[in-house]
Amino acid sequence: MDFDTVTISRLITAMTLLFHIIFATLGVGVPLFISIAELVGIRKQDKHYELLAKRWSRGFVITVAIGVVTGTAIALQLSLVWPNFMQLAGNVIALPLFMEVFAFFFEAIFLGIYLYTWDRFKSKYTHWLLTLPVVIGAGMSAVFITTVNSFMNSPNGFTMVDGEFVAVNPLEAMLNPSSPTRIFHVLGGSYLTVAAILATIAAIALLRNKGAREYHKKALKMTVIAMFIFSVITALAGDVSAKYLAKHQTEKLAAAEWLFESEENADLLLFGWLNKDNEIVGAIRVPGFLSFLAHGDFMSEVTGLEETPEQERPPLIIHYLFDSMVSIGFFLLGISFIYIVLSRLKRWNVHSKIMLWLLAISGPLAMLAVELGWLFAELGRQPWIVRGYMTVDEAATSSPYILHMFFLFLALYIVLGTLFTITLRKLFKDNPAEVELEKHYPEWKEGIEK
Amino acid sequence: MSYEVIGITVLWLFLYGYLIVASIDFGAGFFAYYAKITKQDHIINQIISRYLSPVWEVTNVFLVFFFVGIVGFFPSSAYYYGSALLVPASFGIILLAIRGSFYAFENYGSKQSNVYMFLYGATGLFIPASLSVALTISEGGYISEQNGQVSLKYFELFTSPLAWSIVALAIVSVLFISASFITYYASRAKDISALQLVRKWALFWATPTIIMALTTMIALSQKNRVNYENMLDLWWVFGLSMGFFLIGISLLYIGRNYGIAFIAIMLQFFFAFFGYGMAKYPYVLYPYINIEDSVTNPSMAMALIVAFIGGLLLLIPSLILLMRLFLFDADYAKGKK
């Protein structure tokens, strides 16, 4: 096998990020739900919610640990694998990277305090207040990192003279044109995904039917409602992102939609595939809808791939990534909507087997959508690392050892992933909710509460 | 003061912060394993885990801070160090990952396994060893740049007396700093048996620390004459360092005021570390990166400094809260909370 260092550099970064964003997404979203559960528990004086917050935070610690180590890995790998990129971009985009560390620091301090002080304060609200810096710190980390990635897509805040960035304005670089829509989409998507994952946990527990049904039903209701709210927000954010692409990054949208020639009243293309001659087969066409989504007007013109020089076009496979992500998004929206409607109607059993199964697959699907969305964002920017200024070929390290490092990190992630699964299983299997309820809150056991 | 001086001072301060908090953590790992194999773990491991559990994530952040900051202030360090350190830094990441996951898998997951305790102890020594390679390289002569390709001269590095004495210095310092901190923490917790045990370790590791510091000076004089002579010119800084070392070690020996003893030892390392840093000035990587030529543009430098001050205003009160709750709360240290 003959690989060039650029391909390996891309693979090693892709691997680290694909692994890291699972934990990053959980890291951004879970604190919000811990905070909500604890608050509801205090206000309703309902021990079920308190236990929910406790159990979620216990699992969260383990995901944070992996998030920290993989986050350290990616932070270092940016310089190790892409030294030329960091040398150039460090001049312009170092500010949010620096602030991200602050945000994480802030979060880490309060998470440590939160976890070890459940019974140390007189007022229960004092302990709940500690969740706020964790939620904010986690959210701000996501905001800062997203601005860095946005900068790579829509670089701004400098002028280029002789291959160097001059007249730098760090704030303008951070708040580049694609930042707002992407921040919106990343935050919404993270909260949506975490809601779905937590709903999956509750749904599986109800399917296994080992007890503590009230507890799991409350968890399910809370998370599915959140799922609905955040899927609406994420879809809106996705729509705004598409409008941004249509205006500023036409080649990405055109490649995602296989729009080869610029067109007025362009069709939205769902699914399908490309045959040997690069013709589209088996796709569903929604007339005029791409124009509508891109510019809010069915007759508007959408720029096709033909207007981008051939060597600067992203790969066409991003259509599949884009479609799958959007389909999952609509599935999550639909399923949470049906749950909410059914739970209002007394005649229907909202906890039927089918419903629970559909909710049980929501979490994994949502995480898959996060991965697909990220792959879409990255592949859609190719061949650039900083769009219009530096390609990935120019940015990568030339070290011949990069291949060895690839396998070293692959081994690391396999070990971490396995240990993560084993630990989490042990943590909750040896101590299921029904046992813990019985032990710590016997009066809140099944059937006794009002 | 110019931007580059403010920048490097702040970064050096963070690296110093990492040196202290990480040493406590790394050394604790080694001591925990050592206590386990010598069947003394019932005396000491409780106190170690009570301190370390709430603060471990914080330690890692100091390091990330340092290298994100250095790339921000001096972007060409990403190019030179990034290219040259691919292999050693990757090993460092792997070791940090094994160690970071220790807390998650062992402390929260299940009961302690011997394999993991061993890894926890071993990484405590290997991480400082692998990170100290960056300091060795910064002295110059271990990197070649040909046709725009930066690479590390592995043979020179592995056969260099300087590299090995820096590694040894890093390891013994870790053990010394850690033992003197745990002595202090045990005295806060009024845990007499742990205190007696760790106090012996602290006294034991004091001598190798000074011997290795002097050995490293000699090795440095052969490798980078300018840096060495700058250090001799700053003799008073190292004199202060030595003075604080003597205060710390005497208090440990007499067996009182362990808090002041630990502060004295922190000051010992503070002066040694800043003396060394001032002697390196103006080079971050000899002779490629000199802070005056490679500092980032003024607007970014200004933005980073403002962000830094804003961040500190947020972090310092939070850190004080953390320390009050876990470090200086005697009841918590004793295990009553």
Side-chain angles (χ1 to χ4, degrees):
Chain A
M1 291 262 263
D2 192 27
F3 278 119
D4 60 310
T5 52
V6 177
T7 310
I8 304 295
S9 298
R10 290 180 61 192
L11 283 176
I12 200 170
T13 310
M15 177 174 69
T16 301
L17 279 170
L18 282 175
F19 192 67
H20 174 67
I21 56 173
I22 297 175
F23 302 96
T25 305
L26 293 169
V28 170
V30 177
L32 179 71
F33 291 91
I34 294 175
S35 179
I36 295 173
E38 191 178 356
L39 183 65
V40 172
I42 298 170
R43 296 194 65 119
K44 290 192 173 172
Q45 299 200 327
D46 186 332
K47 292 288 178 196
H48 281 152
Y49 288 101
E50 184 182 315
L51 184 65
L52 209 51
K54 278 190 180 166
R55 287 175 68 86
W56 282 345
S57 55
R58 239 178 271 154
F60 181 59
V61 176
I62 301 188
T63 64
V64 168
I66 314 241
V68 171
V69 297
T70 52
T72 311
I74 188 63
L76 269 163
Q77 277 183 3
L78 278 181
S79 293
L80 296 174
V81 181
W82 307 100
N84 305 311
F85 162 65
M86 283 307 279
Q87 185 180 19
L88 182 75
N91 279 301
V92 189
I93 202 65
L95 180 65
L97 278 174
F98 194 60
M99 295 208 285
E100 195 271 346
V101 188
F102 267 117
F104 178 73
F105 209 155
F106 189 59
E107 177 194 346
I109 291 172
F110 281 93
L111 181 66
I113 298 176
Y114 179 80
L115 290 172
Y116 291 89
T117 52
W118 269 96
D119 300 309
R120 267 179 83 174
F121 302 108
K122 280 192 198 83
S123 162
K124 283 187 180 279
Y125 283 103
T126 315
H127 187 252
W128 172 75
L129 281 176
L130 290 171
T131 61
L132 298 184
V134 181
V135 174
I136 294 168
M140 288 315 283
S141 297
V143 169
F144 291 134
I145 284 303
T146 308
T147 65
V148 177
N149 191 270
S150 302
F151 173 82
M152 294 160 73
N153 280 276
S154 54
N156 197 18
F158 62 89
T159 42
M160 188 127 170
V161 178
D162 302 331
E164 282 189 31
F165 292 160
V166 295
V168 173
N169 181 341
L171 280 180
E172 219 172 278
M174 199 171 121
L175 303 171
N176 58 77
S178 68
S179 282
T181 54
R182 291 163 137 265
I183 289 169
F184 192 24
H185 192 60
V186 165
L187 276 182
S190 301
Y191 294 135
L192 166 60
T193 304
V194 170
I197 296 266
L198 297 174
T200 294
I201 295 172
I204 289 178
L206 286 170
L207 280 170
R208 290 163 59 111
N209 201 10
K210 291 258 176 74
R213 285 187 73 84
E214 271 316 304
Y215 166 86
H216 292 302
K217 279 181 186 171
K218 283 176 188 167
L220 192 68
K221 188 176 170 197
M222 192 176 126
T223 50
V224 177
I225 291 174
M227 219 166 111
F228 177 71
I229 297 170
F230 287 117
S231 54
V232 172
I233 292 176
T234 309
L236 278 177
D239 177 58
V240 187
S241 293
K243 289 192 168 52
Y244 156 81
L245 287 181
K247 225 172 165 177
H248 299 280
Q249 233 180 323
T250 55
E251 73 282 4
K252 204 175 198 172
L253 187 66
E257 280 297 323
W258 290 341
L259 186 71
F260 301 115
E261 286 150 27
S262 296
E263 214 175 289
E264 284 175 15
N265 189 20
D267 298 347
L268 183 69
L269 209 66
L270 299 178
F271 311 109
W273 63 91
L274 288 175
N275 68 12
K276 270 184 250 138
D277 308 319
N278 253 6
E279 286 158 354
I280 302 160
V281 188
I284 308 165
R285 287 180 173 275
V286 189
F289 236 77
L290 183 59
S291 288
F292 177 70
L293 286 177
H295 301 291
D297 170 6
F298 284 100
M299 295 318 290
S300 62
E301 187 185 90
V302 183
T303 313
L305 262 187
E306 59 177 357
E307 297 186 26
T308 308
E310 203 153 336
Q311 66 278 14
E312 292 176 14
R313 291 178 195 169
L316 293 172
I317 53 156
I318 62 175
H319 174 72
Y320 304 113
L321 305 172
F322 181 66
D323 266 16
S324 315
M325 171 185 76
V326 174
S327 309
I328 293 173
F330 277 100
F331 170 80
L332 298 173
L333 180 65
I335 188 74
S336 53
F337 179 71
I338 294 172
Y339 172 93
I340 292 171
V341 170
L342 287 186
S343 63
R344 305 264 150 187
L345 302 174
K346 289 273 177 278
R347 287 184 297 133
W348 291 85
N349 175 16
V350 73
H351 298 110
S352 66
K353 269 239 158 82
I354 299 175
M355 198 64 209
L356 289 177
W357 268 111
L358 288 173
L359 286 169
I361 59 168
S362 309
L365 280 177
M367 195 53 93
L368 181 66
V370 169
E371 299 280 10
L372 292 169
W374 178 73
L375 278 174
F376 166 59
E378 290 300 296
L379 287 174
R381 197 191 56 240
Q382 300 303 320
W384 302 108
I385 192 161
V386 181
R387 183 174 175 268
Y389 295 93
M390 184 184 247
T391 62
V392 290
D393 296 25
E394 294 161 348
T397 180
S398 49
S399 170
Y401 298 107
I402 188 81
L403 186 62
H404 305 84
M405 295 304 115
F406 176 82
F407 289 109
L408 190 68
F409 279 102
L410 180 65
L412 174 72
Y413 300 141
I414 291 174
V415 171
L416 284 181
T418 316
L419 285 175
F420 173 72
T421 321
I422 294 174
T423 314
L424 217 56
R425 265 181 68 95
K426 253 193 192 159
L427 187 64
F428 291 106
K429 217 181 159 193
D430 298 348
N431 189 16
E434 58 272 17
V435 173
E436 216 177 336
L437 274 176
E438 174 115 41
K439 213 160 59 189
H440 299 296
Y441 314 105
E443 71 281 14
W444 281 89
K445 237 173 54 186
E446 205 85 41
I448 297 174
E449 72 259 43
K450 40 198 154 141
Chain B
M1 252 205 283
S2 54
Y3 290 130
E4 64 267 21
V5 176
I6 299 177
I8 197 71
T9 310
V10 162
L11 292 172
W12 207 242
L13 208 58
F14 262 91
L15 197 56
Y16 167 75
Y18 181 69
L19 185 132
I20 297 294
V21 291
S23 291
I24 294 173
D25 179 285
F26 293 150
F30 174 79
F31 291 132
Y33 182 67
Y34 177 77
K36 198 174 171 81
I37 53 173
T38 53
K39 305 252 181 312
Q40 294 167 309
D41 45 338
H42 58 284
I43 306 179
I44 164 168
N45 284 11
Q46 159 101 25
I47 201 138
I48 290 181
S49 87
R50 272 196 90 69
Y51 164 72
L52 288 178
S53 298
V55 297
W56 74 269
E57 307 108 317
V58 176
T59 311
N60 225 19
V61 188
F62 274 95
L63 177 66
V64 179
F65 234 122
F66 174 75
F67 67 71
V68 168
I70 199 152
V71 170
F73 274 105
F74 308 103
S76 47
S77 55
Y79 174 68
Y80 285 102
Y81 280 113
S83 303
L85 287 176
L86 177 68
V87 177
S90 292
F91 276 102
I93 298 172
I94 304 273
L95 293 169
L96 281 169
I98 292 173
R99 191 177 180 82
S101 57
F102 167 86
Y103 288 98
F105 300 143
E106 283 296 307
N107 287 359
Y108 306 110
S110 54
K111 52 183 194 299
Q112 305 195 327
S113 81
N114 277 324
V115 180
Y116 236 119
M117 278 307 277
F118 170 73
L119 286 175
Y120 181 54
T123 52
L125 300 186
F126 282 123
I127 295 171
S130 76
L131 295 182
S132 69
V133 170
L135 278 184
T136 309
I137 289 174
S138 74
E139 291 302 330
Y142 300 99
I143 282 181
S144 67
E145 189 180 22
Q146 282 170 339
N147 314 323
Q149 188 166 345
V150 175
S151 48
L152 188 58
K153 299 186 202 161
Y154 286 96
F155 182 76
E156 270 86 345
L157 183 66
F158 283 112
T159 53
S160 148
L162 178 65
W164 289 108
S165 50
I166 289 184
V167 164
L169 175 63
I171 291 175
V172 292
S173 311
V174 158
L175 295 173
F176 178 52
I177 294 172
S178 184
S180 46
F181 176 79
I182 303 171
T183 307
Y184 160 65
Y185 198 65
S187 79
R188 288 281 320 181
K190 302 213 167 33
D191 185 339
I192 305 298
S193 51
L195 175 71
Q196 288 313 325
L197 184 64
V198 203
R199 182 176 149 257
K200 258 187 266 164
W201 291 345
L203 288 169
F204 176 83
W205 288 107
T207 323
T209 304
I210 291 302
I211 293 175
M212 280 327 299
L214 295 175
T215 313
T216 308
M217 285 281 282
I218 296 166
L220 183 66
S221 72
Q222 292 161 356
K223 189 73 198 177
N224 188 332
R225 195 84 210 167
V226 182
N227 193 343
Y228 173 72
E229 275 163 13
N230 286 344
M231 281 171 84
L232 292 186
D233 290 341
L234 289 164
W235 60 271
W236 58 274
V237 182
F238 295 95
L240 276 172
S241 170
M242 195 67 194
F244 280 112
F245 168 74
L246 292 175
I247 295 173
I249 194 82
S250 323
L251 287 171
L252 280 174
Y253 186 76
I254 301 164
R256 51 183 290 194
N257 298 356
Y258 295 110
I260 295 172
F262 181 65
I263 289 171
I265 288 161
M266 274 172 70
L267 287 172
Q268 172 206 339
F269 280 90
F270 180 85
F271 284 108
F273 194 65
F274 272 80
Y276 170 70
M278 284 151 76
K280 272 175 98 69
Y281 184 88
Y283 290 104
V284 173
L285 171 59
Y286 186 86
Y288 298 102
I289 310 175
N290 131 0
I291 66 167
E292 281 153 21
D293 301 339
S294 61
V295 69
T296 188
N297 54 78
S299 49
M300 178 55 82
M302 194 62 210
L304 289 175
I305 291 168
V306 171
F308 178 76
I309 294 169
L312 275 193
L313 290 178
L314 208 63
L315 285 184
I316 288 175
S318 323
L319 273 174
I320 290 174
L321 181 66
L322 182 76
M323 298 215 284
R324 280 179 59 128
L325 284 169
F326 296 111
L327 193 53
F328 301 121
D329 185 322
D331 283 344
Y332 174 81
K334 277 180 213 158
K336 284 188 187 152
K337 272 186 186 169

